[in-house]
Amino acid sequence: MKAWSYLRRAVAESCAPARNWRWMLASLGIGAGFGLIAGLQRLGNEPARVSPEVATVAVRAAVTFFAVAWLAAVAIRFIRLWRA
């Protein structure tokens, strides 16, 4: 097999929803991140709040980490397929 076919197979396996645990981790990370940010911004007895700028940064960070995790999973699957 050629490298492109291995890469296609690795991408297809990494996108399968039944095996894609990163979706769950990303959603938990976003929720935990918002909770952490809201808790850190708490001032005295005022209610916790998240400004639009903070929410934007948190979502960008979550998407970036998700993309990095997905690319790492594809790379690992590709290397395993190529060596086998």
Side-chain angles (χ1 to χ4, degrees), residues 17-72:
R19 296 180 61 193
N20 201 343
W21 49 268
R22 288 174 301 285
W23 292 105
M24 180 186 68
L25 292 180
S27 65
L28 291 173
I30 290 171
F34 277 130
L36 177 65
I37 291 167
L40 290 175
Q41 286 193 341
R42 214 177 181 119
L43 299 172
N45 293 329
E46 292 183 23
R49 56 191 159 78
V50 176
S51 67
E53 294 83 18
V54 172
T56 303
V57 169
V59 170
R60 284 183 182 171
V63 169
T64 300
F65 289 127
F66 176 78
V68 169
W70 184 80
L71 288 172

Side-chain angles (χ1 to χ4, degrees), residues 4-20 22 70 73-74 77-78 81:
W4 286 109
S5 61
Y6 290 137
L7 184 59
R8 278 192 299 254
R9 186 172 167 194
V11 168
E13 288 178 4
S14 294
C15 290
R19 296 180 61 193
N20 201 343
R22 288 174 301 285
W70 184 80
V74 169
R77 288 182 199 276
F78 173 71
L81 288 170

